[in-house]
Amino acid sequence: MHVRNRVGVGAVAVAAAALLAGATPAYAQTTLSEGHVDVIDVHLHGDHFHVHVHAEDLGQSFEPSEVVFEVNDNAAGTITAESAFVGAPVGSAAWVLPAEATDGVLFAGFSAHDLAPGDTDDDQVHVALTGLSGPGDIGLWDADDLSVVFNSFDGLDSEDVLTLGPDAHYHPAWVFTDAGQYFLTFEVSALVDGATITDEATLEFVVG
């Protein structure tokens, strides 16, 4: 489990399957390819969560289904010793989103900025990567202590959880091993008044 407090920095499956099959969404999607974006922005409304995507540079929030994240050729790089946990050889081609703001690529992170102390029973909200569909593997890691946050190569399980505290804002480094279209499903959960509440979001990434 990866704990991050404040740092300076059913229908879902059907929809993903339809997009993979080449169906055209019934709404206009916004493509985000650079700048500061919180891919999971957690909001608590009484006894339920609502997960948004927040594009900081645009000052806009979106429903997850309204956005396509483009990991463009500016992110083209190689597997390093720090990212080799995704199972690809060091030096092989990969697409990397750094943990610091970089011109021309996404600065992608996670936010519980809307949560205040006491909003959840233990002042924690958990973000689990529960599903991945795509041509390769994905890994996220902490650029400071090099701990792995999410890793699809060894299978998604109870280790693939990021824990955020109130007002948390966290940006790891990302790596994708292959070009193509990915769908990542995240489940957000927390204890509120003794009951577990959850929300789920599936995000689309186009790499290369």
Side-chain angles (χ1 to χ4, degrees), residues 6 21 28 32 55 69 82 92 109 154 157 169:
R6 186 172 185 179
L32 300 175
F69 299 101
E82 289 78 14
S92 59
D154 61 0
D157 55 28
H169 193 190

Side-chain angles (χ1 to χ4, degrees), residues 13-95:
V14 170
L19 287 169
L20 283 169
T24 301
Y27 46 82
Q29 289 179 291
T30 297
T31 298
L32 300 175
S33 60
E34 61 181 328
H36 183 170
V37 60
D38 297 317
V39 302
I40 296 289
D41 183 21
V42 181
H43 290 251
L44 181 64
H45 299 285
D47 61 353
H48 67 278
F49 280 126
H50 191 172
V51 174
H52 301 273
V53 171
H54 184 67
E56 183 74 22
D57 296 344
L58 300 178
Q60 290 182 256
S61 291
F62 302 89
E63 294 298 315
S65 60
E66 294 175 336
V67 173
V68 175
F69 299 101
E70 183 181 63
V71 183
N72 58 38
D73 285 342
N74 292 328
T78 59
I79 296 291
T80 63
E82 289 78 14
S83 58
F85 63 85
V86 291
V90 171
S92 59
W95 284 259

Side-chain angles (χ1 to χ4, degrees), residues 66-138:
E66 294 175 336
V67 173
V68 175
F69 299 101
E70 183 181 63
V71 183
N72 58 38
D73 285 342
N74 292 328
T78 59
I79 296 291
T80 63
E82 289 78 14
S83 58
F85 63 85
V86 291
V90 171
S92 59
W95 284 259
V96 180
L97 299 178
E100 63 280 338
T102 304
D103 289 344
V105 297
L106 291 168
F107 177 43
F110 301 83
S111 174
H113 186 71
D114 187 61
L115 299 183
D119 280 351
T120 67
D121 292 1
D122 55 4
D123 281 337
Q124 293 183 345
V125 58
H126 309 288
V127 181
L129 179 60
T130 59
L132 170 70
S133 174
D137 283 297
I138 179 175

Side-chain angles (χ1 to χ4, degrees), residues 4 7-9 82 99-100 141-147 170-173:
R4 297 288 179 264
V7 181
V9 283
E82 289 78 14
E100 63 280 338
W141 74 98
D142 188 286
D144 292 325
D145 64 19
L146 304 183
S147 61
Y170 176 59
H171 285 261

